[in-house]
Amino acid sequence: MKAQRVEVFVCPSATPADTSGLQALVDAGKIKPDTLVALVGKTDGTGFHDDWGRIWADAALREWTAKLLGVAKDEVARHVIFVLSGGCPGVITPHIAAVTREWVEDAKPSTEKRLAVGRAGSESIAPEEVGRMGMIRKVASATHEAMEDAGIMDPKDVHLVMVKVPGLTVASIDDAESRGHTVVSHDLTFGPEGAGSYANDAAALGVAMALGEVPASRLSDDVVRRDWDLYSEVAMTSSGGEKRHGEVVVFGNSTASVSPLVIGHSVTKDFIDAQGVRDALRSAGLHFKDGLPDESDLGRLVHVFAKSVIPGSDQIRGQHITLLDDHNAYQIGKALGGMLVASVTGRTTNYVSGGERNSHQGPPGGNIVAAVVRTRE
Amino acid sequence: MKAQRVEVFVCPSATPADTSGLQALVDAGKIKPDTLVALVGKTDGTGFHDDWGRIWADAALREWTAKLLGVAKDEVARHVIFVLSGGCPGVITPHIAAVTREWVEDAKPSTEKRLAVGRAGSESIAPEEVGRMGMIRKVASATHEAMEDAGIMDPKDVHLVMVKVPGLTVASIDDAESRGHTVVSHDLTFGPEGAGSYANDAAALGVAMALGEVPASRLSDDVVRRDWDLYSEVAMTSSGGEKRHGEVVVFGNSTASVSPLVIGHSVTKDFIDAQGVRDALRSAGLHFKDGLPDESDLGRLVHVFAKSVIPGSDQIRGQHITLLDDHNAYQIGKALGGMLVASVTGRTTNYVSGGERNSHQGPPGGNIVAAVVRTRE
Amino acid sequence: MKAQRVEVFVCPSATPADTSGLQALVDAGKIKPDTLVALVGKTDGTGFHDDWGRIWADAALREWTAKLLGVAKDEVARHVIFVLSGGCPGVITPHIAAVTREWVEDAKPSTEKRLAVGRAGSESIAPEEVGRMGMIRKVASATHEAMEDAGIMDPKDVHLVMVKVPGLTVASIDDAESRGHTVVSHDLTFGPEGAGSYANDAAALGVAMALGEVPASRLSDDVVRRDWDLYSEVAMTSSGGEKRHGEVVVFGNSTASVSPLVIGHSVTKDFIDAQGVRDALRSAGLHFKDGLPDESDLGRLVHVFAKSVIPGSDQIRGQHITLLDDHNAYQIGKALGGMLVASVTGRTTNYVSGGERNSHQGPPGGNIVAAVVRTRE
Amino acid sequence: MKAQRVEVFVCPSATPADTSGLQALVDAGKIKPDTLVALVGKTDGTGFHDDWGRIWADAALREWTAKLLGVAKDEVARHVIFVLSGGCPGVITPHIAAVTREWVEDAKPSTEKRLAVGRAGSESIAPEEVGRMGMIRKVASATHEAMEDAGIMDPKDVHLVMVKVPGLTVASIDDAESRGHTVVSHDLTFGPEGAGSYANDAAALGVAMALGEVPASRLSDDVVRRDWDLYSEVAMTSSGGEKRHGEVVVFGNSTASVSPLVIGHSVTKDFIDAQGVRDALRSAGLHFKDGLPDESDLGRLVHVFAKSVIPGSDQIRGQHITLLDDHNAYQIGKALGGMLVASVTGRTTNYVSGGERNSHQGPPGGNIVAAVVRTRE
């Protein structure tokens, strides 16, 4: 039997261009050109629109990866998926997590489900489909393909789906309109009516559709960023104007994997719900004592992936907060998610993206937390 | 026997000028002109130097209190101590906590120690004493007097000391220098070498000296903002240029109190230490289950007072954070403290002040947390 | 003949609640309860959404005016129009300009046109009309009425029209949708697709329609915030969710006025066009020498009202600027307008509002500047 | 006769790492490995302490220059001086100005003075000398050497001196204190009492001493950042902890130059003084019409170098401004200088550095402006 063996290596980054940790993994034989599946990281910088830290990190990592794979820089994306989330406010340590997948021949069948990953590209998504059913359906299809690639049959075994989709640009809007189509928004930002937000949220609903979290019958153009009761518990999505099709990476558990790792997830019920973080870690097999991971278990925690979407309401458990009116809400919202996770994991190298207001990524007011844990053996 | 009965009432504020919650307490007979000791609050706004929310709140509360007491506005400070901390970033609900103390005649002696408060003004503090031994000694004396006023003998029974001291101004520096004295700093900010920071920290060391947390022999002008191993676990201090003497309010437990409340405190060992918050709540008598206050106990939590000084180091538990280089560190640092507390208390109406870097208020990298809890009876 | 005599008094504000300058004018008999038409000011604070400086100023000024007029606070708006623009970044001095209009009996007919003001309220504007033709038409009607009130016949004599209109709120959107209508946007911000921006811009087009700057035939729902070639050169507009009808104040010159003041205006052709500021001052009768008002003329400059809308393009005269990507663009954009005006007027007490991106207030990339000058006699 | 021929080429930068403009100049033969003297630029980004745009630009330019010169990256500094000022808020176009100096044999003696540049390194500056007389004297000596290198005898012919000096670091403070010395400040920031500010200002006084702008007899440790009446009209200085000695580049006019360029300078008298900008351009030979460079002259303007230090006072021409209390004062202060210059030059590719409060670079409240102009021939 041929089985996959997935590993996740977390490398702190001293600067946005720091690839030394990744290179050390290559030198140690842990990352090989044909096993590298994804680089998922938090980059040093403000996280705002003009955050050059993220852009520098992207350039440096792409160059490093091109060299590793022996391909041209603009071909890297065909081989390795990059998910770089800008901004490490507060207690989020800049880092890159390398996800590798090796195929092991003659593996003996596993009884326990272990971490499996799969990926797929979607069909090309036209600008008029961005943030609408067209995008939802194509992301749903790609999610199914990625599950297949991962060897995961049961949607319940999927614990994290990272998706990148096209956003809108001045050029792509012109293109759509010149062909007689409308677009979801002329606002190119990630604001409440921004095309970026619509794209991210349609992608999340695509995952929800694929996994059966939301029945197809309830989906339509009109529900995107309107009906917050429709959401995925495992989709983390991002969008960029320059892309033309979507990319999907599915993380789940499968008996077709001989990985030493397991993934689990949960959601927080609101913005201050540390219990949701604990539930995610438990879901992946950690035990707890007085709110913190059991000392002997803590070393088994490999990585946490969390969203920190800020709530659409100015109330938390009946009390008024002023975050929605804060000029720095985006940055502070992300920082707060970082604290919520770090206060439970006892470490700061957590992947926490977010800051936007409201999303179909996670329940209204709450957020997604996924955790990867090393098994005891 | 004459015994004090202390109460703490927490009123959310809809706007900086909102006194409706306080007025309702007056109307209900819970606050009386001669029982109001202190108003301690978090005010809506940015918390930055030009935060008009805090200034408006101060004006509105002073006007309201003057009317309540039937005194002129500029006499209010003689009767009621105002501690208004500006800035409610993230998950800190703007609120005012009214502290009242009523004297009960013929109280039967208590076997349990209960919440007691006492206050005292210091001798006048000259500008050349700000941030130096002169201030330290005068705050220490005033702390002793306030303990006496509270009926607390043992420093171990003191769990929170709020202090306001003079800072420096252009005028007071001129005054000192015209008399041939030097001042601790010409920087009028709360930056690392700012007069405001020196004033706050000398005040904290004054409390530490009074309570025996730091031996007098180790104190000198030179240790202020230099030797971080010297600190108080209970001092929360602030400073303003316009004052000429210090004000001290001591919160502790005493058998001379028949209050239904008890206070406790602890410190966090670092910036992400939720355990320190739990310890503070436990210290005041709450029980915990899986990291959160026991459901049946939660209703007994009256209020939490916490500092959120950001660490002087760019490392937390060996991992690099970028907070120290962040333009918004002051605001984000405060927000993070708010999350750490709220994630444990399950509510957002917590008093969390801070944002400055390094302090003798709490241990290096850690922070003070005090909690007031209603007893079961 | 009965003629109006308009005066404009500019009072610097030491704090948002400072009414001392206004009170001094009352005490000197320069402002009387029945002559006060409008208070137009820049308030101390950040200018962001949660700027309590502006809100405090509004509360304090409304209270002061109510006392002056002997009416209830919520009736003040019927008598005096408040235009308070928050945020004084950079070189904008916080100030309030009081506009008064006195009626002079038996005035001898003037040959020169002098400053005249008129005001009018619009019909009630429904939420479904906000940012659309309904609002445009109702503002246009009210502009005509205000011109009549001012005694101005020729649109060319109008140099400034200040307008306040309703924005949208969660409640008013619900109201519209419950009656089967759509609204222009669900984004309640002043962002590029925000309801606030649509409301401001429909109001500006309403003025442009009234003054014939834009032919009615070119106006439709679809041109608002789309066709930037349609604009007014004299409309300064703002919007707030709480209002139900619009308010219009027209400033122009008329022979029916015996005011010692004259108003003029011009527009800047782009964001760095100091020449446009000079043109505005010249339009009101000032002379210039080497870029600055002639020394002997400078004392006659009473006030400047300017917009500082940031350009929709990232190019100025063919060179790239990064302002559009700046997290603080709103604040910096306003500050830059303040500098452009102050560098010409040689003073910092200028009314400069703005910071939003793109508008029908002024030409694409440029801004409106109006100036009030005292005549020589 | 051997004469220098200096050129200044201004290349807009599309991103921090954009070296295409420089490379085009190399390809066109305008920059040669042995003629490149300095790269002086404004880099895209926030300009705050954690501005990765500036750091990326530095890395990319250093790599490009190393390749051009055929030397190792860490040897570039020996050959070419880098002055990269971070932050292009408002109307400052990111750009790099390349300064080249070619030696022309058998040049015929010039009657007119033309642009000459010279450079020199200072002696090593110990940490205990930073911000004090030691630094002042060593920068003064290096300024003399750089003048000699430039062939400039008369200090009046010097119009701009760019200086980089060491700042303080945790390590260099330890070094100084371990040897029994004190340091000027423990505050490592560029705040009012920060070591960075002291270093910059001592460097400026060093230039002032060398050029006779301030008599040596008035200089002492005590005047640095205290006596603002002592200043240079031509020094633009910066500091960084990593350096051990100072670097000085002098720009002036000399008959020993056959450059087609001329440099001039002036100072603004306060923060809104556009006249000072015009004076600087006139000093370099431009003519003006109504406040703007004469159309036919404008094409001759090669570049402007300006400081935008924010004033130490909250008054401009007797009017209150709130800039000193603004959380974003540093960024806004720089942006305002950019507008002041652009509103006169009619272009946005101006070098404008600043944002700090108070400096010996320029007079109290005012700033330095230098301009390079192409002669008519």
Side-chain angles (χ1 to χ4, degrees):
Chain A
M1 187 197 126
K2 194 169 147 190
Q4 61 183 292
R5 186 185 159 87
V6 175
E7 267 289 358
V8 176
F9 303 102
V10 179
C11 307
S13 315
T15 69
D18 180 13
T19 54
S20 61
L22 294 172
Q23 188 57 46
L25 289 164
V26 170
D27 296 344
K30 296 190 168 172
I31 297 178
K32 294 171 202 157
D34 59 342
T35 64
L36 186 60
V37 172
L39 294 177
V40 181
K42 290 295 306 176
T43 60
D44 199 334
T46 61
F48 290 123
H49 190 58
D50 59 348
D51 179 359
W52 290 106
R54 196 189 63 76
I55 299 168
W56 189 16
D58 188 85
L61 285 170
R62 222 164 276 276
E63 192 176 329
W64 177 85
T65 309
K67 217 171 274 179
L68 174 71
L69 304 191
V71 303
K73 261 188 275 185
D74 55 6
E75 298 219 343
V76 165
R78 289 197 202 168
H79 304 275
V80 178
I81 291 180
F82 280 58
V83 179
L84 298 182
S85 163
C88 287
V91 292
I92 303 174
T93 295
H95 69 271
I96 303 293
V99 180
T100 62
R101 178 168 71 165
E102 200 159 5
W103 290 99
V104 182
E105 302 289 343
D106 302 319
K108 67 176 183 186
S110 175
T111 51
E112 284 177 27
K113 290 177 177 171
R114 296 297 175 81
L115 180 60
V117 302
R119 62 186 172 195
S122 82
E123 281 178 60
S124 174
I125 297 171
E128 60 268 28
E129 293 178 315
V130 168
R132 293 171 169 166
M133 279 308 294
M135 182 177 267
I136 293 174
R137 283 199 197 92
K138 288 177 178 175
V139 168
S141 291
T143 303
H144 281 138
E145 283 176 49
M147 282 176 65
E148 201 165 331
D149 183 46
I152 299 175
M153 308 298 132
D154 187 346
K156 289 202 188 87
D157 286 328
V158 175
H159 293 277
L160 175 63
V161 183
M162 286 192 151
V163 185
K164 290 175 75 176
V165 287
L168 288 177
T169 61
V170 171
S172 69
I173 291 176
D174 283 353
D175 167 38
E177 295 184 339
S178 73
R179 290 182 287 103
H181 294 288
T182 63
V183 293
V184 71
S185 173
H186 282 83
D187 175 355
L188 299 184
T189 72
F190 286 83
E193 292 294 310
S197 303
Y198 276 94
N200 287 353
D201 275 324
L205 290 175
V207 173
M209 181 178 168
L211 301 183
E213 295 176 282
V214 170
S217 61
R218 291 196 57 188
L219 290 168
S220 70
D221 287 359
D222 291 343
V223 302
V224 185
R225 293 193 65 74
R226 288 287 176 278
D227 185 348
W228 300 112
D229 291 334
L230 311 178
Y231 58 88
S232 170
E233 287 200 355
V234 295
M236 295 192 187
T237 63
S238 56
S239 56
E242 73 289 344
K243 310 177 67 67
R244 269 308 194 175
H245 63 277
E247 294 170 0
V248 175
V249 195
V250 160
F251 296 76
N253 297 319
S254 165
T255 52
S257 165
V258 294
S259 170
L261 307 179
V262 171
I263 189 168
H265 86 278
S266 186
V267 293
T268 56
K269 70 179 184 193
D270 60 29
F271 210 54
I272 61 173
D273 179 27
Q275 197 59 32
V277 181
R278 283 188 280 269
D279 290 346
L281 271 59
R282 280 197 183 100
S283 155
L286 285 199
H287 300 94
F288 273 77
K289 206 180 138 180
D290 194 21
L292 294 176
D294 191 281
E295 192 78 358
S296 69
D297 263 14
L298 190 56
R300 299 196 294 119
L301 178 60
V302 174
H303 207 35
V304 171
F305 300 87
K307 284 296 294 185
S308 188
V309 173
I310 68 180
S313 153
D314 65 352
Q315 303 267 330
I316 295 184
R317 304 190 193 180
Q319 295 156 325
H320 175 66
I321 58 163
T322 64
L323 183 59
L324 301 197
D325 288 336
D326 196 312
H327 177 54
N328 294 324
Y330 181 78
Q331 194 182 26
I332 291 176
K334 197 183 290 174
L336 292 179
M339 177 57 102
L340 193 71
V341 175
S343 74
V344 173
T345 65
R347 65 177 66 165
T348 56
T349 44
N350 307 298
Y351 176 92
V352 182
S353 79
E356 64 270 36
R357 190 183 304 183
N358 260 342
S359 173
H360 299 293
Q361 303 169 63
N367 277 294
I368 302 169
V369 186
V372 174
V373 166
R374 195 164 298 275
T375 54
R376 274 230 180 65
E377 54 201 77
Chain B
M1 188 197 125
K2 194 170 149 188
Q4 61 182 292
R5 187 185 158 87
V6 175
E7 267 288 359
V8 176
F9 303 101
V10 179
C11 307
S13 315
T15 69
D18 180 13
T19 54
S20 62
L22 294 171
Q23 189 56 47
L25 289 165
V26 171
D27 296 344
K30 296 193 170 170
I31 296 178
K32 294 170 202 156
D34 58 343
T35 64
L36 187 59
V37 171
L39 294 176
V40 180
K42 290 297 306 175
T43 60
D44 198 333
T46 61
F48 289 122
H49 190 59
D50 60 346
D51 178 0
W52 290 106
R54 197 190 63 76
I55 300 169
W56 189 17
D58 188 85
L61 285 170
R62 223 165 274 277
E63 190 175 331
W64 178 85
T65 309
K67 217 170 272 178
L68 174 69
L69 305 191
V71 302
K73 261 188 272 185
D74 55 6
E75 297 218 345
V76 165
R78 290 196 202 168
H79 303 274
V80 177
I81 290 181
F82 280 58
V83 179
L84 298 181
S85 164
C88 288
V91 291
I92 303 175
T93 295
H95 69 272
I96 302 292
V99 181
T100 61
R101 179 168 69 164
E102 198 159 5
W103 291 98
V104 182
E105 302 288 341
D106 303 319
K108 66 172 183 190
S110 175
T111 51
E112 283 178 25
K113 289 177 179 170
R114 295 296 175 79
L115 179 60
V117 302
R119 65 185 168 193
S122 81
E123 282 178 60
S124 174
I125 296 172
E128 60 268 27
E129 293 179 315
V130 167
R132 293 172 170 166
M133 280 307 296
M135 181 177 267
I136 293 174
R137 284 200 197 93
K138 288 177 178 175
V139 169
S141 291
T143 303
H144 281 138
E145 282 175 50
M147 282 175 66
E148 201 166 331
D149 183 46
I152 299 174
M153 307 299 131
D154 187 346
K156 290 203 188 87
D157 286 329
V158 175
H159 293 278
L160 176 63
V161 183
M162 287 192 151
V163 185
K164 289 175 76 177
V165 286
L168 288 177
T169 61
V170 171
S172 69
I173 290 176
D174 283 352
D175 167 36
E177 294 185 340
S178 73
R179 290 181 288 102
H181 294 288
T182 63
V183 293
V184 71
S185 174
H186 281 83
D187 175 354
L188 299 185
T189 72
F190 287 83
E193 293 294 310
S197 303
Y198 276 94
N200 287 354
D201 275 325
L205 290 175
V207 173
M209 182 179 167
L211 302 183
E213 296 176 283
V214 170
S217 62
R218 292 195 58 185
L219 291 169
S220 71
D221 287 359
D222 291 344
V223 303
V224 185
R225 292 194 64 76
R226 289 287 177 277
D227 185 349
W228 300 112
D229 291 336
L230 311 178
Y231 59 87
S232 170
E233 287 200 356
V234 296
M236 295 191 186
T237 63
S238 57
S239 56
E242 71 291 342
K243 311 177 65 69
R244 269 307 193 173
H245 63 277
E247 294 170 359
V248 176
V249 195
V250 160
F251 295 78
N253 297 318
S254 166
T255 52
S257 166
V258 293
S259 170
L261 308 180
V262 171
I263 189 167
H265 87 277
S266 187
V267 292
T268 57
K269 70 180 184 190
D270 60 29
F271 210 54
I272 62 172
D273 179 27
Q275 197 58 31
V277 181
R278 283 187 278 269
D279 289 346
L281 272 59
R282 279 195 184 104
S283 157
L286 285 199
H287 300 93
F288 272 78
K289 207 180 137 179
D290 194 21
L292 295 175
D294 190 282
E295 191 80 357
S296 70
D297 263 14
L298 190 57
R300 298 197 295 119
L301 177 60
V302 174
H303 207 35
V304 171
F305 301 87
K307 284 294 296 184
S308 187
V309 173
I310 68 180
S313 154
D314 65 352
Q315 302 268 330
I316 294 184
R317 303 190 193 180
Q319 295 156 326
H320 176 67
I321 58 163
T322 63
L323 183 59
L324 301 198
D325 288 335
D326 195 313
H327 177 55
N328 294 325
Y330 181 80
Q331 194 181 26
I332 291 175
K334 197 182 290 175
L336 292 179
M339 178 56 102
L340 192 71
V341 174
S343 74
V344 174
T345 65
R347 65 177 66 165
T348 56
T349 44
N350 307 297
Y351 176 91
V352 181
S353 79
E356 63 271 35
R357 189 184 304 183
N358 261 343
S359 173
H360 298 294
Q361 304 169 62
N367 277 294
I368 303 170
V369 185
V372 174
V373 166
R374 194 164 299 276
T375 55
R376 276 232 180 62
E377 55 203 79
Chain C
M1 186 199 128
K2 194 170 149 189
Q4 61 183 292
R5 187 184 156 87
V6 176
E7 267 288 359
V8 176
F9 302 102
V10 179
C11 307
S13 315
T15 69
D18 180 13
T19 55
S20 62
L22 294 172
Q23 189 56 47
L25 289 165
V26 170
D27 296 344
K30 294 190 169 171
I31 297 178
K32 295 169 201 159
D34 58 343
T35 64
L36 187 58
V37 172
L39 294 176
V40 180
K42 289 297 306 176
T43 60
D44 199 335
T46 60
F48 289 123
H49 190 58
D50 59 347
D51 178 0
W52 290 107
R54 197 188 65 75
I55 300 168
W56 190 16
D58 189 85
L61 285 171
R62 222 164 275 277
E63 191 176 330
W64 177 86
T65 308
K67 217 171 273 179
L68 174 71
L69 304 191
V71 303
K73 262 188 275 187
D74 56 6
E75 298 218 343
V76 165
R78 288 196 202 168
H79 303 275
V80 177
I81 291 181
F82 280 58
V83 179
L84 298 181
S85 164
C88 288
V91 292
I92 303 174
T93 296
H95 70 270
I96 302 294
V99 181
T100 62
R101 179 169 69 164
E102 199 158 5
W103 290 99
V104 182
E105 301 289 341
D106 303 320
K108 67 174 183 190
S110 175
T111 52
E112 284 178 24
K113 289 177 177 170
R114 296 297 175 79
L115 180 60
V117 303
R119 62 186 174 195
S122 82
E123 281 179 59
S124 175
I125 297 171
E128 59 268 28
E129 293 178 314
V130 168
R132 293 170 168 168
M133 279 309 293
M135 181 176 268
I136 292 174
R137 283 199 198 94
K138 287 176 178 175
V139 169
S141 291
T143 303
H144 281 137
E145 282 175 49
M147 282 176 65
E148 200 166 332
D149 182 46
I152 298 174
M153 307 299 130
D154 187 346
K156 289 203 189 85
D157 286 328
V158 174
H159 293 278
L160 176 64
V161 183
M162 288 190 149
V163 185
K164 292 174 74 175
V165 287
L168 288 177
T169 61
V170 171
S172 69
I173 291 175
D174 283 353
D175 167 37
E177 295 185 339
S178 73
R179 288 180 289 103
H181 294 288
T182 63
V183 292
V184 71
S185 175
H186 282 83
D187 175 355
L188 299 184
T189 72
F190 287 83
E193 293 294 310
S197 303
Y198 276 95
N200 287 353
D201 274 324
L205 290 175
V207 172
M209 181 180 170
L211 301 183
E213 297 176 282
V214 170
S217 61
R218 293 196 57 187
L219 291 169
S220 70
D221 287 0
D222 290 344
V223 303
V224 185
R225 292 193 64 74
R226 289 287 177 276
D227 184 348
W228 299 112
D229 291 334
L230 311 178
Y231 58 88
S232 171
E233 287 200 355
V234 295
M236 295 191 186
T237 62
S238 57
S239 56
E242 73 288 346
K243 310 177 67 68
R244 269 309 193 173
H245 63 276
E247 294 169 2
V248 176
V249 196
V250 161
F251 295 77
N253 297 318
S254 165
T255 52
S257 165
V258 294
S259 170
L261 308 179
V262 170
I263 189 167
H265 88 276
S266 188
V267 292
T268 57
K269 70 179 184 193
D270 60 29
F271 210 53
I272 61 172
D273 179 27
Q275 197 59 32
V277 181
R278 282 188 279 270
D279 290 346
L281 272 60
R282 279 197 183 102
S283 155
L286 284 200
H287 300 93
F288 273 78
K289 208 180 136 181
D290 194 21
L292 295 175
D294 190 281
E295 191 79 359
S296 69
D297 264 14
L298 190 56
R300 300 197 292 121
L301 178 61
V302 174
H303 207 34
V304 171
F305 301 86
K307 285 294 296 186
S308 188
V309 173
I310 68 180
S313 154
D314 65 352
Q315 302 267 331
I316 294 185
R317 304 191 193 178
Q319 296 156 324
H320 175 67
I321 58 163
T322 63
L323 183 59
L324 302 197
D325 289 335
D326 196 313
H327 177 55
N328 294 324
Y330 181 79
Q331 195 182 24
I332 291 176
K334 197 183 289 174
L336 292 180
M339 177 57 100
L340 193 69
V341 174
S343 75
V344 173
T345 64
R347 64 178 65 167
T348 56
T349 45
N350 307 298
Y351 176 91
V352 182
S353 78
E356 63 271 34
R357 190 182 304 184
N358 261 343
S359 172
H360 298 294
Q361 303 169 64
N367 277 294
I368 302 170
V369 185
V372 174
V373 166
R374 194 165 298 275
T375 54
R376 275 232 179 64
E377 53 203 77
Chain D
M1 189 197 125
K2 195 170 149 188
Q4 61 183 291
R5 189 186 156 85
V6 175
E7 267 288 1
V8 176
F9 303 102
V10 178
C11 307
S13 316
T15 69
D18 179 13
T19 54
S20 61
L22 294 172
Q23 188 56 46
L25 288 165
V26 170
D27 296 345
K30 294 191 171 172
I31 296 178
K32 295 169 201 157
D34 58 344
T35 64
L36 188 58
V37 171
L39 295 176
V40 180
K42 290 297 306 175
T43 59
D44 199 333
T46 61
F48 290 123
H49 191 59
D50 60 347
D51 178 359
W52 289 107
R54 197 189 63 77
I55 299 169
W56 189 16
D58 188 85
L61 285 171
R62 222 165 275 276
E63 190 174 331
W64 178 84
T65 308
K67 217 171 273 178
L68 173 70
L69 304 191
V71 302
K73 261 189 272 184
D74 55 6
E75 297 218 345
V76 164
R78 289 196 202 170
H79 303 275
V80 177
I81 291 181
F82 281 59
V83 179
L84 299 180
S85 163
C88 288
V91 291
I92 303 174
T93 296
H95 69 272
I96 302 292
V99 180
T100 62
R101 179 169 69 164
E102 198 157 5
W103 291 99
V104 182
E105 301 290 341
D106 302 318
K108 68 174 180 188
S110 175
T111 52
E112 283 179 25
K113 289 177 177 169
R114 296 296 175 79
L115 180 60
V117 302
R119 64 186 171 193
S122 81
E123 282 177 60
S124 174
I125 296 171
E128 58 269 27
E129 293 179 314
V130 167
R132 293 171 171 168
M133 279 307 295
M135 181 176 268
I136 293 174
R137 283 199 199 95
K138 287 176 178 174
V139 169
S141 290
T143 303
H144 280 138
E145 282 175 49
M147 281 176 67
E148 202 167 329
D149 183 46
I152 299 175
M153 307 299 131
D154 187 346
K156 290 200 187 89
D157 285 329
V158 175
H159 293 279
L160 176 62
V161 183
M162 287 193 147
V163 185
K164 291 176 74 177
V165 287
L168 288 177
T169 60
V170 172
S172 69
I173 290 176
D174 283 352
D175 167 37
E177 295 185 339
S178 73
R179 289 181 288 102
H181 294 287
T182 63
V183 293
V184 71
S185 174
H186 282 82
D187 176 354
L188 299 184
T189 72
F190 287 83
E193 295 293 311
S197 302
Y198 275 94
N200 287 353
D201 275 326
L205 290 175
V207 173
M209 182 179 167
L211 301 182
E213 296 176 283
V214 171
S217 61
R218 292 195 59 185
L219 292 169
S220 70
D221 286 1
D222 291 345
V223 303
V224 185
R225 294 194 64 75
R226 289 289 177 275
D227 184 348
W228 299 112
D229 292 335
L230 311 178
Y231 57 87
S232 171
E233 287 200 355
V234 296
M236 295 191 185
T237 63
S238 57
S239 55
E242 72 290 344
K243 310 176 68 67
R244 269 309 193 172
H245 63 276
E247 293 169 1
V248 176
V249 196
V250 160
F251 295 77
N253 297 318
S254 165
T255 52
S257 164
V258 294
S259 169
L261 309 179
V262 170
I263 189 168
H265 86 277
S266 187
V267 292
T268 57
K269 70 179 185 192
D270 60 29
F271 210 55
I272 62 173
D273 179 27
Q275 196 60 30
V277 181
R278 283 189 278 269
D279 289 346
L281 271 59
R282 279 194 185 105
S283 156
L286 285 199
H287 300 93
F288 273 78
K289 209 181 136 180
D290 195 21
L292 295 175
D294 191 280
E295 191 78 359
S296 70
D297 264 14
L298 190 58
R300 299 197 293 121
L301 179 60
V302 174
H303 207 35
V304 172
F305 301 88
K307 285 294 296 185
S308 188
V309 174
I310 67 180
S313 154
D314 66 350
Q315 302 268 330
I316 294 184
R317 304 189 193 179
Q319 295 156 326
H320 176 67
I321 58 163
T322 63
L323 183 59
L324 301 197
D325 288 336
D326 195 313
H327 177 55
N328 293 325
Y330 182 79
Q331 194 182 27
I332 291 176
K334 198 182 290 174
L336 292 180
M339 178 55 102
L340 192 70
V341 174
S343 74
V344 173
T345 65
R347 64 177 67 166
T348 56
T349 45
N350 307 297
Y351 176 91
V352 182
S353 78
E356 63 270 36
R357 190 183 304 184
N358 262 342
S359 172
H360 298 294
Q361 304 169 61
N367 277 294
I368 302 169
V369 185
V372 175
V373 166
R374 195 164 299 276
T375 54
R376 276 229 179 67
E377 54 201 78

